[in-house]
Amino acid sequence: MYFLVLQFVTLGNTNQNITSTNNSSLLNIVIVASFPLLFLGIFFIIRSFTRAAYKTRHTFNNTLLHIMVPKEKKTEGASNNNNNEDRLDQIKEEIGITETIFASLASQKAQRGILHWFKGRNDNFSFEIVIHNNLINFYVSIPIKMKSFIEQQINAQYPYAQIEEITDYNIFSEKSSIIGSYITATNNPAFPFKTYKKMDSDPMSAILNVLARIHEQNSSASIQFVVRSAHKKWRRKGIYIVREVKKGKKFENVARKTTFGKVMSFIGAGLKDQANLSKDKTLDNKYQSSGMEEEMMKGIEEKLSKGGMDVTIRIISSSDNQELAKMNLDNIIGSFGQYNLYRYGNSLKAQVPRNQKTIISDFIHRSFNEKKRILLNTEEMAGLWHLPLHSTETPNIKWLGARKAPPPPNLPKEGILMGHIPYRGNDYQVRLKDADRRRHLYVVGKSGSGKSVLIENMAVQDIIDGKGVAVVDPHGDFAEYVLSHIPKERADDVVIFNPSDFEYPIGLNMLEARTEDEKDFVVQEMISIFYKLFPPEMIGPMFEHQMRNVMLTLMADIENPGTIIDIPRMFTDDDYVKIYLKKLKDPVVRAFWEKEMAKTSDFHKSEMLGYLISKVGRFVENDMMRNIMGQQKSGFNVREIMDKQKILIVNLAKGKTGEINAKLIGLIIVSKLQMAAMGRADLPESERKDFYLYIDEFQNFITDSIATILSEARKYRLDLIIAHQYLNQLVDDKGKAEIKDAVLGNVGSMCLYRIGPDDADILAKEMAPVFGPYDLMNVEKFTANTKIIIDNEPTKPFNMSIYPPKDGNLKMAEAIKQLSRLKYGRERSITEAEIMERTKLDQGVSESKDDMIEATL
């Protein structure tokens, strides 16, 4: 009995040991089997962290491009309902341009391999539409190494697009409420979406119109398309569907069958018991596809025929008002409904994630989301994102002001620096050779467009280079800027003519002539000046006749000529006339006094005096003008300034000088410069040094002889740089356009800043075929459409940017002013005493006025 019990106990212990051994083995098996799963889990966790780290790194390896295209005028046919078909064809053709860009991206080889699987792909491109600060902008974020490739692709399709590399934009603020959503597909990736080729208008117009309405309470929004080329296997599903349906199977059964369903169907087909399946198969073989299904099959085949792209569509809405941010997001999502093909196609739907931090972070880093991707071909992608079309009328789009053109291939490496041409990632300097500057430079543009900056920069360069310069400025700012940039070593070369300096007036006598030939030129210029100052009907032949003889008489003594201030006395004081008659050699002029005037009664003389004084009286009776124009000797010698490369700055600020006074002085200065230039005929051409005359608002200071200056003065090295605002300033009151024709017909180089429509129609002929009227009217500030002379040959027009002005030395400018006024001016008291002594104006004014009244009565 004891033995049996012991045996039972022993047997029990043995069974327990066997059970324990089995459990231990099973546990070991489980532990061993779990190691790969644990390792795999750890590996995927590491992969997740690695991808997150590389996501940030990829962000800093990208660059952001801002793309703008010009907005052309609508053609007459585009607005005509009868040409609606042509309009649609034009829209599709323009969208197709962007499709070409996406085709080049889809053709890029998709990154593959364990390395890219582990750390993630970095060949993503982000195409974005952003409404920020009430403007709709188009951006492309690309890997830096692909920058050149993308720029070339865009420029190839949009030759006039401006591509600017910028720092990232920011649509958020501290008070912003932010909400984001993904746009995903509802059906199989092989199913097509509705494309722009199947629509009756530009599909993106609906999206842009929604964005254009976002402008309240610091509201902004961004639509982000993160794009990359798809692997070739994306076509397999579509190919399978097309093949199976063409075998006679139901479209819906094939299209909805998953990968698991395909496997199970393959296994089931090998089983012998297939009665029901064979029945269904027989039915399937007899199935005839409907017309819509046939159309759907055609759509799938068309989608497969083009390049495929994996796309993550992300929408972010930001506003200080949370409800407004949500409403804007909903409106943008709603605008994507036009791309849906219901039942027999694919549709887009919104997915608003609960965790908004992740989508915002991915938006900032422009990350590709594998779980939210959709498959689009290039045609579908072009309908979702393309640059605005010429026919796009959505407000608030940031258009390019005007088209850009490439620089001339033969830009000089020497000469004065005018500006620069930023073009397709490069920056080209624009220089003008000295020889080409002799054909003159013409600058025109609206006020504030940047004309003064260009001529200021050029004048300062000439001064620094030691060249002879004259500046005629009707506003004062140009003169002050140049003064503040004059180098110390050139301070002695500066002559400042400032009529508003009452204490030290500088003499300016127009009736100065070095030779007998110059006298006729002076007289003719003075007559032209009076025609510029007064209406033509107030001048007439009698005025010309009398003024010509009087002025020739006053110029009889070349060493001590008379002045315009002396004219009234010539008709009231016979003894004063005799002083000049002693030097007079011209018999015709002498006959005027000895025969014509000697036989004129006192009454007619007084009548004549009143007529003449009414023209010159404003200069005689004005203290400032009398002290300047009443001096027999000019304070400076224009010919000496030109030959010795000095600097003449004429400050005719109208606020201080007066408009009429400034106009007269400017006319006289320009005429003196022209006369001095013509006088250089006595020098061999090789000894004539270039002298540069800068005239702002030049229409106020030129006579009809401008044609002579433009065509002939270049031979004598007087190089003009002339600027004004619009062409009608060159047309006189009677509509005569001789000056305008002379300017446009003779200038060699021209810079056209922003101008009005009337001028654009005229000047577009000068800039054709590169720029049209729209470009001339919409050029950006501080840029100019330019056409220059290079080696005496005109270039094709191009768009030039101007360098900004630099700060000057105001203390040096003030010191130069003081030096100049002491060297060339005369004390006011001395000047006034001398003028009164010579002209006797203080004795004859009242009498002359009485005669004028009597003659009038």
Side-chain angles (χ1 to χ4, degrees):
M1 188 67 174
Y2 174 77
F3 176 78
L4 290 174
V5 172
L6 181 61
Q7 188 176 13
F8 177 77
V9 172
T10 304
L11 182 61
N13 290 335
T14 303
N15 291 335
Q16 186 176 1
N17 290 336
I18 294 172
T19 302
S20 298
T21 302
N22 291 336
N23 289 338
S24 178
S25 299
L26 181 61
L27 180 61
N28 290 336
I29 292 172
V30 171
I31 292 174
V32 171
S34 64
F35 269 115
L37 295 176
L38 180 62
F39 175 79
L40 192 62
I42 294 173
F43 181 79
F44 272 96
I45 292 173
I46 295 173
R47 174 176 175 262
S48 176
F49 280 105
T50 302
R51 285 197 167 193
Y54 271 94
K55 178 176 70 174
T56 304
R57 181 177 298 182
H58 294 335
T59 303
F60 294 103
N61 290 332
N62 285 3
T63 185
L64 185 65
L65 303 180
H66 182 205
I67 305 174
M68 292 186 292
V69 292
K71 169 67 173 171
E72 299 285 359
K73 284 184 177 180
K74 291 178 65 176
T75 61
E76 187 175 334
S79 60
N80 192 337
N81 292 332
N82 296 330
N83 295 329
N84 188 54
E85 184 176 347
D86 294 339
R87 181 182 64 84
L88 288 177
D89 290 340
Q90 184 179 1
I91 289 174
K92 293 174 183 178
E93 182 179 348
E94 289 189 52
I95 298 176
I97 293 175
T98 305
E99 183 182 347
T100 305
I101 298 175
F102 286 122
S104 66
L105 298 181
S107 65
Q108 300 293 308
K109 186 177 181 181
Q111 291 180 344
R112 306 187 67 175
I114 186 64
L115 182 64
H116 291 295
W117 177 86
F118 185 71
K119 68 178 184 179
R121 290 174 59 177
N122 61 353
D123 57 348
N124 304 331
F125 300 83
S126 181
F127 294 82
E128 302 170 12
I129 309 173
V130 181
I131 176 71
H132 184 47
N133 294 330
N134 298 331
L135 286 175
I136 300 175
N137 295 274
F138 291 77
Y139 299 100
V140 179
S141 177
I142 56 176
I144 294 176
K145 63 181 180 180
M146 297 291 289
K147 178 175 178 289
S148 178
F149 171 76
I150 293 297
E151 286 181 339
Q152 290 172 4
Q153 293 298 317
I154 295 174
N155 286 325
Q157 306 304 325
Y158 295 90
Y160 298 108
Q162 176 176 304
I163 304 174
E164 182 182 5
E165 186 174 359
I166 62 170
T167 56
D168 209 346
Y169 60 85
N170 180 19
I171 64 172
F172 308 128
S173 66
E174 295 180 357
K175 299 180 181 179
S176 292
S177 295
I178 307 168
I179 184 170
S181 174
Y182 289 103
I183 299 293
T184 58
T186 58
N187 291 332
N188 192 293
F191 283 21
F193 295 92
K194 193 174 184 180
T195 69
Y196 68 91
K197 291 185 178 180
K198 302 296 190 333
M199 299 185 186
D200 296 332
S201 62
D202 178 12
M204 213 173 70
S205 293
I207 297 174
L208 295 178
N209 284 324
V210 171
L211 294 177
R213 296 190 183 98
I214 300 176
H215 51 77
E216 298 96 352
Q217 300 184 27
N218 296 326
S219 299
S220 300
S222 176
I223 305 174
Q224 194 178 81
F225 301 90
V226 184
V227 177
R228 69 186 189 189
S229 58
H231 290 295
K232 295 180 180 179
K233 64 182 180 181
W234 74 272
R235 291 185 173 86
R236 294 176 184 173
K237 177 66 176 179
I239 293 172
Y240 169 79
I241 293 174
V242 173
R243 184 174 60 244
E244 294 300 310
V245 171
K246 286 186 176 181
K247 289 179 180 179
K249 295 183 179 181
K250 285 186 179 181
F251 174 81
E252 292 183 353
N253 290 344
V254 175
R256 292 177 180 176
K257 188 174 291 184
T258 63
T259 302
F260 177 76
K262 293 179 188 178
V263 175
M264 296 303 296
S265 177
F266 177 78
I267 296 173
L271 299 176
K272 295 181 180 180
D273 190 8
Q274 297 291 328
N276 294 330
L277 183 62
S278 298
K279 184 179 180 180
D280 291 341
K281 185 175 181 181
T282 303
L283 292 174
D284 283 347
N285 288 334
K286 295 180 180 180
Y287 180 77
Q288 296 293 324
S289 300
S290 67
M292 290 298 296
E293 289 175 338
E294 291 291 341
E295 188 69 21
M296 184 63 202
M297 298 303 300
K298 182 179 178 182
I300 293 176
E301 289 179 323
E302 288 178 352
K303 181 166 184 175
L304 298 178
S305 67
K306 298 196 174 186
M309 311 181 80
D310 292 329
V311 184
T312 298
I313 305 177
R314 192 180 288 116
I315 304 172
I316 296 293
S317 175
S318 170
S319 176
D320 290 352
N321 185 315
Q322 185 174 3
E323 294 181 358
L324 188 59
K326 179 65 168 61
M327 183 185 72
N328 291 336
L329 178 66
D330 292 340
N331 291 337
I332 296 173
I333 292 172
S335 65
F336 281 85
Q338 62 185 319
Y339 299 98
N340 294 344
L341 276 175
Y342 299 102
R343 179 171 172 78
Y344 296 105
N346 216 332
S347 299
L348 297 172
K349 67 176 181 178
Q351 290 187 4
V352 181
R354 293 182 179 180
N355 185 359
Q356 286 289 309
K357 290 184 179 180
T358 301
I359 189 173
I360 294 172
S361 175
D362 288 347
F363 165 77
I364 294 172
H365 291 99
R366 297 180 171 89
S367 304
F368 191 91
N369 191 315
E370 299 281 352
K371 297 179 180 179
K372 306 297 182 182
R373 67 177 176 178
I374 58 178
L375 195 290
L376 301 174
N377 72 359
T378 56
E379 182 178 319
E380 294 167 335
M381 187 61 216
L384 286 164
W385 190 98
H386 56 260
L387 294 173
L389 312 180
H390 294 159
S391 58
T392 302
E393 297 298 331
T394 304
N396 302 333
I397 292 177
K398 189 170 184 180
W399 297 96
L400 177 64
R403 288 181 291 180
K404 306 293 183 182
N410 58 333
L411 281 175
K413 302 297 183 182
E414 59 184 21
I416 191 168
L417 180 63
M418 296 176 63
H420 63 112
I421 308 172
Y423 188 77
R424 297 189 178 180
N426 296 314
D427 197 59
Y428 306 86
Q429 289 188 338
V430 180
R431 295 183 178 273
L432 194 59
K433 293 181 178 180
D434 290 345
D436 295 323
R437 295 183 67 184
R438 293 167 194 154
R439 296 289 302 275
H440 314 298
L441 173 64
Y442 173 58
V443 184
V444 62
K446 292 183 178 181
S447 178
S449 58
K451 303 186 303 297
S452 297
V453 178
L454 170 62
I455 59 178
E456 285 171 359
N457 289 343
M458 292 180 67
V460 169
Q461 288 183 70
D462 284 334
I463 290 171
I464 294 174
D465 291 341
K467 297 177 180 178
V469 173
V471 172
V472 181
D473 178 23
H475 305 298
D477 294 337
F478 183 12
E480 293 295 334
Y481 181 86
V482 171
L483 270 175
S484 65
H485 289 79
I486 293 176
K488 184 178 180 180
E489 59 272 14
R490 297 212 66 187
D492 286 333
D493 294 338
V494 181
V495 180
I496 302 173
F497 185 81
N498 185 1
S500 61
D501 188 352
F502 290 91
E503 299 306 318
Y504 279 86
I506 298 179
L508 181 64
N509 185 8
M510 183 60 188
L511 304 182
E512 284 181 316
R514 296 172 61 246
T515 64
E516 294 295 327
D517 294 337
E518 284 186 358
K519 291 180 181 181
D520 291 328
F521 179 84
V522 169
V523 171
Q524 189 56 44
E525 280 299 294
M526 282 304 302
I527 297 297
S528 298
I529 287 171
F530 278 106
Y531 271 110
K532 290 282 289 185
L533 296 176
F534 301 97
E537 59 271 13
M538 293 183 63
I539 306 298
M542 282 301 296
F543 176 84
E544 289 190 39
H545 172 66
Q546 292 161 2
M547 286 295 292
R548 181 177 291 108
N549 284 283
V550 172
M551 288 189 289
L552 286 171
T553 303
L554 290 170
M555 288 189 292
D557 188 352
I558 293 180
E559 299 299 327
N560 294 291
T563 68
I564 292 179
I565 307 302
D566 295 300
I567 292 176
R569 190 178 178 187
M570 294 291 286
F571 288 96
T572 59
D573 190 341
D574 293 336
D575 294 333
Y576 191 63
V577 175
K578 292 177 182 178
I579 296 174
Y580 289 97
L581 288 177
K582 293 177 182 178
K583 299 281 187 177
L584 187 61
K585 298 177 182 179
D586 191 329
V588 177
V589 179
R590 180 178 292 275
F592 169 79
W593 294 103
E594 294 178 349
K595 296 180 180 180
E596 184 176 338
M597 293 301 296
K599 295 180 181 180
T600 303
S601 64
D602 292 339
F603 173 78
H604 288 94
K605 283 184 179 181
S606 64
E607 188 178 38
M608 186 186 305
L609 177 65
Y611 184 65
L612 294 174
I613 288 184
S614 66
K615 308 299 182 297
V616 300
R618 65 179 64 189
F619 311 117
V620 175
E621 297 165 1
N622 183 283
D623 290 344
M624 179 185 70
M625 295 298 291
R626 182 170 64 244
N627 292 340
I628 292 172
M629 304 185 68
Q631 297 185 44
Q632 288 183 287
K633 295 291 184 180
S634 296
F636 52 91
N637 187 316
V638 176
R639 175 65 184 274
E640 181 183 343
I641 290 174
M642 295 181 69
D643 290 345
K644 294 187 177 181
Q645 301 283 276
K646 292 188 176 183
I647 304 164
L648 173 62
I649 298 177
V650 184
N651 188 341
L652 300 176
K654 295 177 182 178
K656 298 179 180 180
T657 306
E659 185 173 357
I660 297 296
N661 296 337
K663 193 171 184 179
L664 174 62
I665 294 174
L667 286 163
I668 293 175
I669 291 287
V670 173
S671 296
K672 276 185 168 291
L673 286 164
Q674 181 183 0
M675 185 169 61
M678 298 300 183
R680 294 172 116 185
D682 57 8
L683 286 175
E685 188 171 353
S686 59
E687 296 181 15
R688 301 169 194 165
K689 298 179 180 179
D690 286 289
F691 188 83
Y692 301 97
L693 173 57
Y694 292 83
I695 314 177
D696 196 9
E697 303 299 339
F698 81 100
Q699 76 282 352
N700 294 319
F701 310 123
I702 57 170
T703 61
D704 293 341
S705 62
I706 183 67
T708 303
I709 303 178
L710 291 171
S711 61
E712 296 184 15
R714 65 184 180 88
K715 302 175 184 177
Y716 306 108
R717 306 293 172 86
L718 176 61
D719 308 332
L720 301 185
I721 301 91
I722 51 179
H724 73 127
Q725 296 179 12
Y726 55 94
L727 290 178
N728 271 347
Q729 291 176 320
L730 308 181
V731 180
D732 62 18
D733 296 335
K734 291 187 176 181
K736 294 182 179 180
E738 285 86 353
I739 294 178
K740 182 182 76 173
D741 296 339
V743 171
L744 297 181
N746 285 285
V747 294
S749 302
M750 57 176 59
C751 295
L752 309 184
Y753 287 81
R754 187 182 298 126
I755 56 179
D758 293 338
D759 292 349
D761 291 337
I762 297 173
L763 294 173
K765 298 174 184 178
E766 296 283 347
M767 296 291 164
V770 178
F771 298 122
Y774 177 87
D775 303 304
L776 303 186
M777 291 188 292
N778 293 279
V779 66
E780 299 171 359
K781 189 176 181 180
F782 299 120
T783 61
N785 294 316
T786 305
K787 184 172 70 174
I788 63 174
I789 294 289
I790 300 178
D791 296 328
N792 209 30
E793 292 291 334
T795 64
K796 282 189 175 181
F798 55 89
N799 189 274
M800 178 179 69
S801 298
I802 309 303
Y803 290 108
K806 299 179 180 179
D807 295 333
N809 189 335
L810 299 180
K811 291 184 178 179
M812 177 61 69
E814 187 60 33
I816 293 174
K817 286 181 186 179
Q818 296 301 323
L819 177 62
S820 177
R821 72 196 296 255
L822 292 175
K823 286 177 65 176
Y824 302 101
R826 297 181 66 193
E827 289 189 20
R828 177 176 181 177
S829 59
I830 298 175
T831 301
E832 289 179 344
E834 181 185 290
I835 292 173
M836 289 302 173
E837 176 65 25
R838 189 182 75 254
T839 62
K840 306 297 182 183
L841 287 174
D842 54 342
Q843 300 177 17
V845 171
S846 61
E847 182 181 350
S848 299
K849 288 184 177 179
D850 292 339
D851 292 339
M852 288 173 60
I853 295 172
E854 183 180 349
T856 303
L857 294 174

